[in-house]
Amino acid sequence: MEPGVEELMPRLLPVGDCDLAEDFDPTVPPRTPQEYLKRVQIEAARCPDVVVAQIDPKKLRKKQTVNISISGCQPAPEGYSPTLKWQQQQVANFSAVRQSLNKHRNHWRSQHLDSNVTMPKSEDEEGWKKFCLGERVYSEIDALSDNENLGIDYIKASIVLSLSVPLLKATVTSVLEYLISWFGEKKFTPELGRWLYALLACLEKPLLPEAHSLIRQLARRCSEVRVLEENKNEEQISALNLIICLVSRYFDQRDLADEPS
């Protein structure tokens, strides 16, 4: 090792020249403390000053799956931008919900769903969409006849599920991704809004990069739908405003926040 480099690495213990026998062989296991220290010095001297890792670019390319956009949300239509007071109140309410979830986490984890409720597997995207949104919304059926029966009431099941399954981090992120994917091509519904709120409440901070990208994507999609809302449905506008508010102000994505009206 060069003297200049050695000066930058202060010695923690004083080690002087070792008084060793002439037949000292550094290739055999050390027999005394002096032989051990001498062997360490020899090995350190053989280490190169700079080491370059050999990286296969093809392996890195396969793992680059997280894309984070820096584009912001579209401004709210005139007259539909929420006030700062309203946004602050929603953040306070949301924080209280999250605290309640954390307080009773162990209790809810031990609860069992009703026997007629079958939860999809984590990787079953279509199963989760159907479970969360219900058969009517999933199948895009406007109304059901009296004789039609599309299975259990998944909306009621979601109330139970929101207290137990979303507490698993892997499930929360997966289901959130499935629903945001659905929302990217479909209209906003109350069923979707309830589940998005529940899943956001179960996200743990600090956010993982994947979750960070997902919620930003969600807020931008909400702003796009809000602008295209022709009838200016106040209830739906309020729901979209709420999601944008939580993403931007609770999860600290301030560049996506609505300017107070």
Side-chain angles (χ1 to χ4, degrees):
M1 184 179 293
E2 297 180 2
V5 177
E6 190 173 357
E7 292 176 0
L8 298 176
M9 302 172 62
R11 301 187 183 194
L12 298 181
L13 295 172
V15 178
D17 294 333
C18 299
D19 186 14
L20 302 175
E22 295 182 357
D23 61 347
F24 168 68
D25 185 358
T27 62
V28 300
R31 294 166 296 181
T32 64
Q34 289 77 13
E35 289 185 358
Y36 172 77
L37 293 175
K38 186 61 178 179
R39 186 172 179 176
V40 170
Q41 290 176 335
I42 294 174
E43 292 178 354
R46 292 174 179 172
C47 293
D49 294 336
V50 178
V51 178
V52 180
Q54 300 298 322
I55 300 175
D56 185 357
K58 295 180 180 179
K59 293 183 179 179
L60 291 179
R61 217 172 284 126
K62 293 180 180 178
K63 297 182 179 180
Q64 293 177 355
T65 57
V66 178
N67 297 313
I68 301 177
S69 174
I70 61 174
S71 61
C73 290
Q74 297 189 29
E78 185 177 355
Y80 284 90
S81 180
T83 64
L84 180 59
K85 182 178 180 180
W86 182 89
Q87 295 184 65
Q88 291 173 338
Q89 184 60 53
Q90 302 312 313
V91 169
N93 294 343
F94 184 70
S95 179
V97 170
R98 286 174 60 90
Q99 289 177 13
S100 178
L101 279 172
N102 289 328
K103 181 178 180 181
H104 302 288
R105 183 181 297 266
N106 292 332
H107 169 72
W108 285 328
R109 185 181 285 126
S110 64
Q111 301 304 303
H112 298 285
L113 295 177
D114 293 339
S115 58
N116 66 332
V117 178
T118 302
M119 294 180 301
K121 294 183 179 180
S122 178
E123 65 275 10
D124 183 5
E125 179 173 352
E126 296 306 311
W128 275 108
K129 290 176 182 177
K130 186 182 298 185
F131 191 102
C132 298
L133 302 171
E135 293 278 6
R136 181 182 62 81
V137 175
Y138 177 80
S139 303
E140 299 184 278
I141 299 174
D142 293 331
L144 302 179
S145 67
D146 294 337
N147 296 326
E148 280 185 300
N149 181 8
L150 293 182
I152 69 172
D153 187 346
Y154 285 101
I155 301 306
K156 292 181 180 178
S158 72
I159 298 174
V160 181
L161 190 66
S162 65
L163 303 180
S164 54
V165 176
L167 301 179
L168 304 174
K169 289 192 292 185
T171 305
V172 171
T173 305
S174 296
V175 178
L176 185 60
E177 182 177 4
Y178 299 153
L179 295 185
I180 292 175
S181 174
W182 167 275
F183 187 28
E185 301 176 355
K186 309 292 183 178
K187 61 183 180 181
F188 185 85
T189 66
E191 296 86 352
L192 176 63
R194 283 194 288 267
W195 268 93
L196 290 174
Y197 188 95
L199 292 169
L200 288 176
C202 294
L203 277 182
E204 294 189 6
K205 296 175 72 175
L207 296 176
L208 296 174
E210 182 181 3
H212 176 270
S213 176
L214 282 173
I215 65 171
R216 288 183 63 86
Q217 180 183 343
L218 172 60
R220 289 194 298 270
R221 177 57 180 164
C222 286
S223 71
E224 294 170 1
V225 173
R226 183 176 59 182
V227 170
L228 298 175
E229 178 62 38
E230 297 179 357
N231 299 326
K232 297 297 182 287
N233 182 313
E234 292 190 14
E235 184 176 348
Q236 179 155 309
I237 291 290
S238 179
L240 295 169
N241 284 346
L242 174 58
I243 294 175
I244 295 172
C245 169
L246 297 179
V247 170
S248 60
R249 298 192 179 275
Y250 185 86
F251 290 103
D252 302 319
Q253 308 302 307
R254 300 288 176 167
D255 60 306
L256 303 180
D258 283 317
E259 291 297 330
S261 60

